[in-house]
């Protein structure tokens, strides 16, 4: 029986946070924190447990602030240009006598009897005497005791983050060791029969524990100490034992997975046995089944197993608690955001807050956000996105006209430097991004895979810089150009017009038509089959053999169009092919289906077959072009075209297998 899981009654995020926080606060979790003493030299970023006072003054002696002579100011009174005064040079260690002076360097102790320094530039030497032409004020050019810090003065207040300058000030003030708040120890307990700790144990049905290292790294960046515990089986007793051990040794516990409604999901039960579950279920996506509990006065969080859910819920619920537990300023308020509009409306469930991962770039002065794939199990949705857009629980979605704030992930380059590539995806585009970054370190390239037609539409709507496209026009037999002319009429620059600014050698004049369609590669498309081609597949006709399973690409993709055209030529109907209805979204997904054995064949690029060590039967060569939308003088445009012409780039792409870049960078011409 699945049981009556309480998280089905979801709380709003803020309500859930407040409920957990309030309970912890009542139990004094954020007060009377454990402390430890560390060497000041190694205290960077730690939080002072109490205010720290100087043990000595800085400077601790009166010293010269300039190179020159030390004298008694009184002896200089009356000195003028017309009536210089001469002072007798005393030897170091010689007692001071009125009318005398000592040679002195910056930092030297001021000799007894003296109280001022005259800079060496203002001293004349005559007959072994120092001649001065202006009076010195008492204590001029002298660093007097305590000028910087006076003994017993406060050097740093309690609960401050220690900076590098603080380290210098503390050491100067005679403080060598300092009491700081202990880093909270956070135990991480991964659970699940299918979870394994190393690649060696990985086989079908097993999942590598990537959540523990991810969370440990996040905790470290939040100032906490992560204690990774062994993987625990989906057995109630094992989880109880692991929890009890974790509670003994840590200040906070994370239990990964087992938060939802499955038969082996014990996390909430165990936590209510060992303490109090305050929240099970928050109206947010991803992350809905998160559990917030308090056991033995310590916060315990059950994170949903999907990596994106685990990361987001840890950031939203755990980070503040970990930081407050060490009196660190909370990160949330200092996070970098940009405001952007979505390229297409995104629906969302009313009552559920949604965290949408997006690519962000600036196209024609407008900041654009392109959603990346949404699944909570897709960790690459976090690594490939530039930011996270929050859709409010009250909204049924976001339309394209409402700009919304986006929290930037990693130290994202500013949106105005991000090139948005929206269209059919190809590895060559990502490698182009790497080459661009080498030339222009401030620029990044962000790719959103929406298929060739989606790319053309994004260019038409002024929402992308680049669209990668490969679509064959059956009527003309030509690739790409007819579609651009049909769907974005007037967009392409007329390069035969000498006044056209797209002539990069002569950037003058004004015109509306600034787009370019340039060659990237000729790609070999073909059937991807298991190594050694065990079923002896040689042509599309073989796909109709009984017992053979095919995997298809999604409708609207260039590869699907190619397949349908080739099937038409061979007089084969899709319904004759077992698996024709099964669609996946990328070349690599086709190759992965073949590798895993869920399909015997699929159509895709040779590079995908080569990447996964699969066999390949060539079917057709297709033209993959880049539709570019930059202002003519944009240096990124020039850089792209230059890179496409380099041998280094061409060789690297051709080495992927099945690519020819002999025309890369050239403008696509009407045939
Ligand atoms: N009937 C329902 N099923 C599910 C619901 C629901 O409302 N009703 N919610 C779904 C949502 S939303 C989420 S999120 C997940 C949360 O699942 P659990 O926390 O119970 O976690 P598992 O099912 O054990 O794992 C989910 C997924 O994550 C993988 N995983 C787990 N631990 C790790 C790890 N340490 N490293 C990497 N990956 C991990 C695990 O293998 C699963 O693939 O529940 C839905 N179900
Ligand atoms: O909460 Mo789950 O994380 O939406 O997939």
């Amino acid at each position: 029986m699945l049981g009556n899981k309480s998280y089905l009654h979801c709380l709003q995020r803020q309500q859930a946070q407040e409920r957990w926080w309030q309970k912890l606060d009542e139990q004094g979790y954020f007060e009377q924190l454990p402390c430890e003493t560390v060497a000041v030299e190694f205290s960077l970023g730690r939080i002072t447990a109490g205010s720290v006072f100087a043990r000595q003054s800085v400077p601790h002696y009166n010293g010269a602030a300039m190179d020159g002579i030390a004298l008694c100011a009184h002896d200089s009174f009356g000195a003028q240009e017309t009536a210089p005064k001469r002072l007798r040079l005393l030897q170091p260690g010689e007692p001071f006598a009125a009318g005398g002076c000592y040679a002195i360097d910056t930092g030297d102790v001021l000799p007894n009897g003296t109280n001022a320094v005259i800079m060496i530039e203002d001293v004349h030497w005559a007959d072994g005497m120092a001649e001065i032409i202006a009076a010195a004020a008492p204590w001029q050019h002298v660093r007097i005791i305590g000028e910087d810090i006076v003994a017993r003065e406060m050097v740093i207040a309690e609960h401050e983050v220690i900076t590098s300058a603080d380290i210098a000030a503390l050491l100067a003030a005679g403080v060598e060791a300092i009491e700081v708040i202990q880093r909270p120890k956070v135990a991480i307990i991964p659970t699940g029969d299918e979870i394994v700790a190393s690649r060696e144990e990985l086989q079908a049905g097993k999942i590598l524990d990537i959540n523990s290292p991810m969370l440990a790294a996040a905790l470290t960046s939040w100032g906490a100490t992560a204690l990774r515990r062994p993987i625990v089986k989906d057995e109630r007793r094992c989880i109880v034992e692991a929890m009890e051990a974790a509670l003994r040794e840590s200040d906070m516990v994370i239990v990964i997975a087992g938060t939802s409604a499955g038969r082996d999901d014990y996390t909430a039960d165990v936590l209510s046995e060992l303490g109090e579950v305050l929240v099970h279920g928050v109206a947010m996506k991803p992350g809905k089944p998160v559990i917030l509990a308090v056991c033995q006065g310590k916060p315990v969080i059950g994170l949903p197993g999907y990596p994106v859910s685990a990361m987001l819920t840890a950031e939203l619920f755990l980070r503040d608690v970990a930081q407050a537990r060490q009196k660190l300023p909370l990160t949330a308020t200092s996070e970098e955001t940009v405001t952007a509009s979505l390229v297409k409306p995104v629906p969302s469930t009313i009552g559920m807050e949604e965290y949408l991962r997006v690519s962000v770039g600036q196209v024609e002065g407008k900041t654009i956000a392109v959603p990346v794939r949404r699944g909570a199990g897709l960790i690459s949705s976090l690594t490939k996105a530039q930011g996270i857009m929050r859709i409010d629980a009250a909204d049924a979605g976001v339309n394209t006209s409402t700009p919304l704030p986006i929290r930037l992930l990693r130290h994202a380059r500013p949106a105005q430097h991000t090139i948005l590539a929206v269209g059919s995806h190809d590895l060559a585009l990502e490698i182009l991004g790497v080459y661009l970054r080498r030339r222009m370190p401030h620029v990044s390239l962000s790719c959103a895979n929406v298929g060739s037609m989606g790319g053309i539409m994004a260019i038409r709507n002024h929402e992308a810089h680049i669209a990668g496209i490969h679509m064959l026009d059956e009527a003309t037999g030509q690739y790409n150009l007819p579609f651009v002319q049909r769907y974005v009429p007037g967009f392409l620059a007329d390069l035969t017009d000498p006044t056209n600014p797209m002539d990069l050698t002569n950037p003058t004049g004004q015109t509306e038509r600034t787009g370019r369609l340039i060659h990237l590669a000729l790609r070999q498309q073909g059937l991807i089959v298991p190594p050694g081609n065990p079923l002896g597949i040689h042509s599309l006709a073989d796909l109709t053999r009984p017992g053979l399973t095919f995997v298809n690409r999604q409708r609207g993709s260039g590869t699907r169009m190619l397949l349908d055209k080739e099937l038409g030529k061979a007089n084969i109907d899709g319904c004759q092919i077992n698996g024709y209805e099964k669609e996946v979204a990328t070349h690599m997904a086709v190759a992965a289906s073949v590798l895993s054995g869920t399909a015997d064949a699929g159509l895709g690029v040779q590079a995908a077959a080569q990447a996964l060590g699969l066999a390949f039967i060539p079917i057709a060569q297709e033209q993959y072009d880049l539709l570019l939308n930059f202002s003519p003088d944009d240096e990124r445009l020039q850089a792209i075209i230059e890179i496409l012409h380099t041998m280094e780039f061409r060789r690297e792409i051709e080495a992927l297998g099945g690519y020819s870049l002999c025309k890369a960078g050239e403008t696509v011409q009407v045939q």
Side-chain angles (χ1 to χ4, degrees):
M1 205 192 66
L2 292 181
N4 182 16
K5 301 281 173 173
S6 56
Y7 78 86
L8 297 175
H9 314 287
C10 289
L11 287 185
Q12 292 301 312
R13 178 175 52 82
Q14 198 175 345
Q15 212 184 345
Q17 255 160 344
E18 284 167 3
R19 193 182 275 190
W20 198 36
W21 195 283
Q22 196 186 339
K23 188 73 176 184
L24 291 167
D25 210 13
E26 278 166 22
Q27 307 211 348
Y29 186 72
F30 301 116
E31 298 306 323
Q32 291 134 28
L33 303 177
C35 300
E36 62 187 350
T37 302
V38 295
V40 163
E41 195 179 342
F42 302 111
S43 65
L44 184 69
R46 302 300 298 270
I47 310 296
T48 52
S51 303
V52 183
F53 300 90
R55 300 177 62 168
Q56 67 189 31
S57 296
V58 186
H60 60 279
Y61 62 92
N62 293 334
M66 296 286 175
D67 304 325
I69 56 167
L71 70 156
C72 173
H74 188 265
D75 292 341
S76 69
F77 291 170
Q80 321 177 15
E81 221 160 318
T82 51
K85 283 206 160 191
R86 286 188 172 189
L87 303 171
R88 188 166 67 82
L89 185 65
L90 302 170
Q91 293 311 304
E94 190 181 339
F96 182 73
C101 69
Y102 301 90
I104 198 164
D105 290 328
T106 306
D108 287 349
V109 177
L110 210 64
N112 280 339
T114 66
N115 66 354
V117 169
I118 294 178
M119 289 195 291
I120 196 74
E121 303 85 309
D122 298 335
V123 176
H124 246 81
W125 295 102
D127 309 326
M129 305 275 279
E131 191 176 272
I132 53 172
I133 54 170
W139 306 110
Q140 82 170 25
H141 303 321
V142 176
R143 298 196 62 213
I144 58 171
I145 293 175
E147 174 185 271
D148 189 356
I149 298 169
V150 181
R152 283 189 281 284
E153 153 181 347
M154 190 190 294
V155 186
I156 181 168
E158 70 168 356
H159 303 163
E160 286 284 354
V161 184
I162 298 172
T163 65
S164 30
D166 292 328
I167 290 177
L170 287 163
L171 291 172
V175 182
E176 286 170 339
I178 185 169
E179 266 232 302
V180 293
I181 296 175
Q182 238 176 39
R183 296 183 191 281
K185 295 190 201 102
V186 186
I188 302 173
I189 307 177
T191 72
D193 293 341
E194 80 284 21
I195 305 299
V196 295
S198 69
R199 273 190 67 205
E200 288 70 47
E201 302 161 78
L202 207 53
Q203 45 175 276
K206 297 290 176 200
I207 301 276
L208 187 66
D209 176 18
I210 57 168
N211 285 346
S212 300
M214 169 178 74
L215 295 165
L219 286 163
T220 306
S221 74
W222 302 333
T225 300
L227 309 174
R228 284 185 56 187
R229 310 283 310 169
I231 297 164
V232 178
K233 292 268 169 236
D234 282 324
E235 278 173 39
R236 196 193 160 90
R237 186 183 48 82
C238 300
I239 303 174
V240 171
E241 281 168 12
M243 270 296 304
E244 284 172 339
L247 284 167
R248 277 195 294 276
E249 65 171 19
S250 62
D251 305 304
M252 198 183 300
V253 182
I254 298 175
V255 184
I256 307 172
T259 62
S260 64
R263 285 158 297 171
D264 294 329
D265 291 335
Y266 298 118
T267 308
D269 286 353
V270 169
L271 299 192
S272 45
E273 182 184 321
L274 298 179
E276 185 181 358
V277 171
L278 296 145
V279 176
H280 187 186
V282 175
M284 59 181 283
K285 201 173 154 191
K288 185 178 83 169
V290 66
I291 304 168
L292 306 178
V294 176
C295 302
Q296 300 173 14
K298 297 174 181 180
V300 179
I301 186 166
L303 297 180
Y306 285 127
V308 177
S309 316
M311 191 62 232
L312 279 176
T313 44
E315 263 176 355
L316 287 169
F317 296 101
L318 198 68
R319 180 175 61 185
D320 281 1
V321 173
Q323 292 181 332
R325 171 73 177 180
Q326 44 189 321
K327 302 282 181 196
L328 267 173
L330 302 186
T331 313
T333 48
S334 61
E335 271 168 356
E336 213 185 329
T337 56
V338 289
T339 303
S341 311
L342 281 171
V343 285
K344 56 175 186 190
V346 170
S348 147
T349 315
I350 288 198
M352 283 293 242
E353 191 173 53
E354 179 158 0
Y355 291 82
L356 199 66
R357 281 83 73 203
V358 292
S359 293
V360 188
Q362 210 173 64
V363 183
E364 298 172 36
K366 192 174 163 201
T367 309
I368 302 285
V370 186
V372 303
R373 289 181 301 154
R374 269 165 130 171
L378 307 174
I379 191 62
S380 63
S381 71
L382 276 180
T383 57
K384 293 202 168 146
Q386 258 102 44
I388 296 185
M389 180 184 267
R390 191 182 71 86
I391 305 178
D392 201 82
D395 294 330
V398 184
N399 56 35
T400 53
S401 56
T402 322
L404 279 181
I406 290 167
R407 171 168 74 83
L408 292 177
L409 296 165
R410 61 180 77 219
H411 293 297
R413 287 165 171 76
Q416 69 264 30
H417 298 310
T418 302
I419 298 179
L420 274 182
V422 178
S424 171
H425 179 256
D426 190 286
L427 195 52
L429 257 182
E430 280 174 13
I431 296 175
L432 175 64
V434 173
Y435 275 70
L436 262 172
R437 174 92 64 84
R438 284 185 200 153
R439 284 183 179 224
M440 307 168 93
H442 56 290
V443 167
S444 65
L445 185 121
S446 172
C447 301
N449 179 17
V450 298
S452 295
M453 203 58 212
I456 291 182
M457 289 304 151
I459 297 277
R460 178 161 114 161
N461 298 336
H462 308 268
E463 287 164 346
H465 297 109
I466 300 181
I469 52 176
H470 56 116
M471 292 158 81
L472 178 60
D473 179 44
E474 295 213 24
T476 60
Q478 198 183 359
Y479 266 95
N480 303 329
L481 188 59
F483 292 92
V484 178
Q485 288 169 328
R486 192 174 316 148
Y487 292 106
V488 208
F491 173 68
L492 292 179
D494 180 0
L495 297 172
T496 57
D497 174 356
T499 64
N500 193 293
M502 285 311 297
D503 176 358
L504 297 176
T505 57
N506 179 26
T508 55
Q510 283 296 314
T511 174
E512 292 278 298
R513 302 161 305 155
T514 56
R516 282 190 108 178
L517 181 64
I518 57 164
H519 286 286
L520 177 58
L522 295 172
R523 299 195 304 193
Q524 189 65 60
Q525 288 266 25
L527 290 171
I528 299 175
V529 295
N533 192 7
L535 297 181
I537 297 168
H538 297 294
S539 69
L540 294 176
D542 291 328
L543 300 179
T544 59
R545 289 201 321 235
L548 193 146
T549 307
F550 182 72
V551 58
N552 209 346
R553 285 292 308 279
Q554 84 277 22
R555 247 155 291 186
S557 67
T559 305
R560 174 67 168 268
M561 289 181 185
L562 177 70
L563 175 77
D564 290 343
K565 184 185 131 258
E566 294 292 325
L567 289 177
K569 278 204 306 204
N571 269 324
I572 301 170
D573 197 306
C575 66
Q576 293 172 258
I577 300 174
N578 178 28
Y580 181 84
E581 302 302 329
K582 166 108 179 75
E583 295 181 354
V584 295
T586 63
H587 296 280
M588 285 310 281
V590 170
S593 302
V594 174
L595 183 71
S596 68
T598 50
D600 299 311
L603 191 68
V605 293
Q606 186 178 336
Q610 188 164 315
L612 298 191
L614 299 166
F616 183 78
I617 297 116
I619 296 288
Q621 206 177 34
E622 65 167 13
Q623 189 179 318
Y624 183 90
D625 296 330
L626 298 181
L627 184 55
L628 299 177
N629 174 30
F630 290 98
S631 75
D633 54 356
D634 193 319
E635 51 180 358
R636 297 172 298 182
L637 169 67
Q638 330 224 352
I640 289 170
I641 291 174
E642 278 171 29
I643 290 168
L644 295 184
H645 279 101
T646 64
M647 284 316 290
E648 193 193 358
F649 177 75
R650 291 176 171 201
R651 282 206 196 102
E652 184 162 345
I653 303 301
E654 286 174 356
L656 297 172
Y659 285 90
S660 163
L661 268 79
C662 56
K663 293 210 262 179
E666 288 176 21
T667 299
V668 175
Q669 307 287 353
V670 186
Q671 281 165 355

